[in-house]
């Protein structure tokens, strides 16, 4: 006799304590922490390995631009002592090897289900549990659902007409083929000149027959001055890694402590002092240039001095004055993510490289044999989309998440993300977001920012268990006040002053809301205060 039960009831639904979505830096450490707490946990990851960003972004030149001694975990003293970084800014392959080492060392893989995308997470108010479903048919019931889905994991590919009929190959830097891309003898087009474009363009130019770069917005970039790791520097940091981490945690971006906290004002310096100062930071290399004076992101006149210095450098580096003018940004310095490069501007002096200003003459369509702008057609064998991500909210909104009363996260965030501390959102009990919008996230050294969130979430779960409580949820009042505060802080700076992905401006139709919280130390203090006041601003039951 056939059963009359609906299919749903026949499914064996595993009951666990915690579901973790994603296995990058955030998901891996979260899994480790909850397992240490003795909770049952399952992590799901779309890709076939750990690493997140460093699994997906295998394009030539991909590397971190926060120094590796800082861009690494600190939760295990043994781990930070045993791992040796080979370069000041390690390449993608080395960071991926590191996170694989972490997965081996802490035996993480046994609780990660790879090649599995979480498609939905619905909160069951009666059972007070999250019902989680994957694209492979898994169904789980978990008390806590933790989103470690990444701020920069949902690739943004512009919807140009004709892409389907393109007869060559096309790739996105954020989903790079594992076997690599053979550019030899090829006519290549790179669309986009943000961080990924700026890192990959010099190497693609070397490998390809001809490279055309399609630029919509010129970006500021400073030399990375990457170099082999100085063993003495590495040994010095390791001799007191704890103090090094502490110093960095007190910095606005959670990094750069050992190059010094610079509080001087650019506007108060004389022209000669400024020139000497900027020369020093230009040669030193890296994103610390943004912190070379204390007022660069607060005072428009101060900012203009840095902008003018970098524009002058571009004019020096690029031989053809017309090309240099196209490469010179006109926006506020640093309000789009500052890039760090190795030979980017010099690449445009090569005879096999052309630059096309698509702000002047936009891309109209991809043709079977290349690409057509408003005034010309370009024959291409390979198109590289270095067009970035649907940042901070893309991966979260890619999952059908429903909280109380069946409200979807998409509905709740229709006018932009709303969270309390970037950790939780009202109406979605026991759902945590690691480096969610409203937290320092992409405006901090992200590995320490991730660890701080994972530690906070773990402590919170432990608190609930110890107190015999089942649920925690941001209160709407605390959330509203926090969103106002995030905006207030952003508006004290020059960061919201241009069409950046921090504001969602790179994705058509995305609400313009400044998403990251500026100021890592103040943020950490606030999180600690909330805990000290028994999770003030959250409702528990
Ligand atoms: C090229 C590049 C360079 C960067 N360099 C730096 C740097 O120098 N310094 C810095 O601080 N930050 C840098 N970042 C930011 C970087 O994203 C973070 O530092 C960090 O790696 C994020 O880790 P994560 O675990 O939070 O997210 P991710 O590494 O993005 O991992 C999230 C994972 O979740 C998975 N996932 C998403 N949705 C689902 C789903 N529905 N189901 C299952 N799995 C899912 C994804 O496949 C992904 O693997 C860089 C980013 C990029 C793209």
């Amino acid at each position: 006799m056939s059963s009359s039960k609906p299919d749903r009831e026949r499914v064996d639904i595993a009951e666990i304590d915690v579901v973790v979505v994603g296995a990058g830096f955030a998901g891996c450490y979260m899994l480790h922490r909850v397992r240490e707490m003795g909770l049952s946990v399952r992590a799901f990851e779309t890709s076939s390995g750990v690493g997140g960003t460093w699994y997906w972004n295998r394009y030539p030149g991909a590397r971190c631009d926060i120094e590796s001694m800082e861009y690494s975990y600190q939760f295990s003293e043994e781990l930070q002592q045993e791992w040796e970084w080979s370069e000041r800014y390690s390449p993608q392959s080395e960071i991926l090897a590191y996170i694989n080492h972490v997965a081996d060392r802490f035996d993480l893989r046994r609780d990660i289900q790879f090649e599995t995308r979480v498609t939905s997470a619905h909160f069951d108010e009666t059972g007070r549990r999250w019902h989680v479903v994957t694209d492979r048919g898994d169904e789980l019931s978990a008390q806590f659902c933790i989103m470690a889905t990444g701020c920069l994991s949902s690739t943004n590919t512009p919807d140009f007409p004709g892409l389907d009929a393109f007869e060559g190959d096309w790739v996105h830097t954020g989903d790079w083929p594992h076997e690599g891309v053979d550019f030899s003898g090829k006519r290549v087009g790179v669309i986009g000149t943000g961080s990924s474009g700026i890192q990959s363009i010099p190497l693609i130019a070397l490998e390809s027959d001809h490279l055309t770069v399609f630029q919509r917005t010129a970006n500021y970039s400073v030399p990375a001055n990457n170099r082999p790791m100085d063993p003495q520097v590495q040994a010095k940091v390791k001799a007191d890694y704890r103090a090094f981490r502490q110093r960095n945690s007190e910095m606005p971006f959670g990094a750069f402590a050992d190059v010094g906290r610079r509080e001087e004002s650019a506007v108060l310096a004389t022209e000669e002092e400024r020139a000497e100062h900027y020369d020093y930071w230009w040669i030193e290399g890296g994103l610390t240039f943004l912190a070379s004076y204390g007022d660069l992101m607060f005072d428009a006149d101060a900012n203009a001095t840095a902008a003018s210095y970098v524009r002058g450098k571009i004019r020096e580096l690029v031989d053809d004055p017309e090309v240099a003018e196209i490469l010179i940004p006109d926006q506020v310095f640093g309000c789009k993510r500052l890039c760090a490069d190795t030979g980017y501007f010099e690449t445009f002096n090569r005879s096999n490289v052309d630059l096309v200003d698509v702000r002047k003459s936009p891309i109209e369509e991809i043709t079977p044999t290349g690409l057509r702008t408003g005034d010309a057609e370009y024959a291409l064998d390979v198109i590289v989309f270095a067009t970035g991500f649907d940042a901070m909210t893309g991966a979260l909104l890619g999952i059908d998440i429903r909280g109380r009363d069946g409200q979807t996260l998409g509905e709740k965030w229709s006018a932009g993300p709303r969270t309390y501390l970037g950790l939780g959102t009202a109406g979605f009990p026991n759902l945590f977001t690691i480096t969610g919008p409203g937290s320092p996230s992409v405006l901090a050294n992200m590995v320490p920012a991730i660890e701080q969130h994972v530690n906070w979430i773990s402590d919170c779960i432990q608190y609930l268990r110890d107190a015999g409580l089942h649920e925690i949820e941001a209160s709407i009042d605390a959330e509203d006040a926090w969103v106002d505060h995030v905006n207030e802080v952003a508006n004290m700076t020059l960061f919201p002053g241009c069409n950046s992905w921090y504001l969602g401006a790179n994705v058509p139709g995305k609400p313009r809301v400044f998403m990251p919280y500026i100021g890592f130390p103040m943020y950490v203090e606030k999180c600690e205060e909330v805990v000290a006041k028994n999770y003030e601003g959250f409702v528990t039951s």
Side-chain angles (χ1 to χ4, degrees), residues 12 37 47 53 70 76-77 112 115 168 182 205 216 222 231 274 281 340 365 394 425 469 490 502 508:
D12 180 21
M37 290 162 66
S47 72
T53 288
E70 300 175 41
S76 159
E77 178 62 10
I112 307 174
E115 296 178 2
D182 181 7
R216 185 172 63 182
V222 295
R274 267 199 309 265
W281 289 104
E365 63 167 341
T425 185
L469 296 164
Y502 300 135

Side-chain angles (χ1 to χ4, degrees), residues 20-28 44-47 49-57 59 62-67 71 73 89 95 113 116-120 147-154 173-174 195-196 199 287 337 389 395-396 398-399 434-435 441-442 444-448 450:
V20 175
V21 188
F25 271 101
C28 284
F44 293 101
E45 168 56 57
T46 311
S47 72
V50 294
T53 288
W54 307 103
Y55 173 96
W56 294 107
N57 290 263
Y59 60 83
R63 61 179 68 250
C64 56
D65 53 17
I66 301 266
E67 295 193 31
Y71 186 72
Y73 287 125
Y89 303 106
I95 305 172
Q113 189 171 316
T116 309
R117 175 183 293 278
V118 168
T119 50
S120 69
M147 294 297 173
T149 45
C151 292
L152 301 172
S153 57
S154 174
T173 49
S195 288
S196 307
Q199 286 189 332
L287 302 184
R337 194 182 189 281
F389 302 91
L396 289 167
I399 304 170
I434 303 180
T435 65
S441 55
V442 293
N445 174 3
M446 285 204 75
V447 182
I450 285 167

Side-chain angles (χ1 to χ4, degrees), residues 386-403:
T387 42
F389 302 91
D390 182 352
M392 303 204 69
T393 55
L396 289 167
L397 295 176
I399 304 170
D400 173 17
I401 301 174
R402 293 174 195 231

Side-chain angles (χ1 to χ4, degrees), residues 191-271:
I191 302 175
T193 53
S195 288
S196 307
I198 282 176
Q199 286 189 332
S200 59
I201 282 166
L203 293 167
I204 296 175
L206 285 180
E207 292 172 32
S208 60
D209 186 48
H210 188 271
L211 170 64
T212 310
V213 175
F214 298 90
Q215 173 194 279
R216 185 172 63 182
T217 310
N219 266 312
Y220 294 99
S221 184
V222 295
N225 191 8
N226 189 31
R227 48 186 180 247
M229 178 63 72
D230 179 340
Q232 283 181 337
V233 170
Q234 181 140 227
K236 190 170 159 230
V237 169
K238 285 188 175 182
D240 196 358
Y241 226 137
R242 187 187 294 268
F244 177 78
R245 300 290 194 185
Q246 179 57 34
R247 285 195 296 281
N248 280 300
S249 73
E250 291 163 13
M251 301 296 287
F253 299 109
F256 314 141
D258 281 10
V259 291
R261 188 192 282 268
R262 317 226 58 88
E263 280 169 355
E264 302 98 314
S265 155
V267 274
L268 294 181
T270 66
E271 212 165 301

Side-chain angles (χ1 to χ4, degrees), residues 48-122:
S48 62
V50 294
T53 288
W54 307 103
Y55 173 96
W56 294 107
N57 290 263
R58 298 171 187 237
Y59 60 83
R63 61 179 68 250
C64 56
D65 53 17
I66 301 266
E67 295 193 31
S68 289
M69 294 306 291
E70 300 175 41
Y71 186 72
S72 47
Y73 287 125
Q74 58 194 286
F75 70 85
S76 159
E77 178 62 10
E78 295 78 19
L79 172 66
Q80 61 181 5
Q81 288 297 334
E82 76 200 7
W83 188 262
E84 298 278 311
W85 294 106
S86 70
E87 295 182 47
R88 181 186 188 189
Y89 303 106
S90 295
Q92 169 272 333
S93 55
E94 193 168 321
I95 305 172
L96 186 61
Y98 168 75
I99 187 111
N100 273 287
H101 168 74
V102 171
D104 292 338
R105 196 183 200 290
F106 299 99
D107 189 19
L108 300 181
R109 284 192 190 78
R110 70 182 150 91
D111 288 315
I112 307 174
Q113 189 171 316
F114 293 105
E115 296 178 2
T116 309
R117 175 183 293 278
V118 168
T119 50
S120 69
H122 295 179

Side-chain angles (χ1 to χ4, degrees), residues 304-321:
T305 66
S308 155
Y309 179 87
V310 178
R311 289 180 191 137
K313 282 290 175 195
I314 298 170
R315 288 193 181 98
E316 272 173 33
L317 292 168
V318 179
D319 297 341
D320 181 335

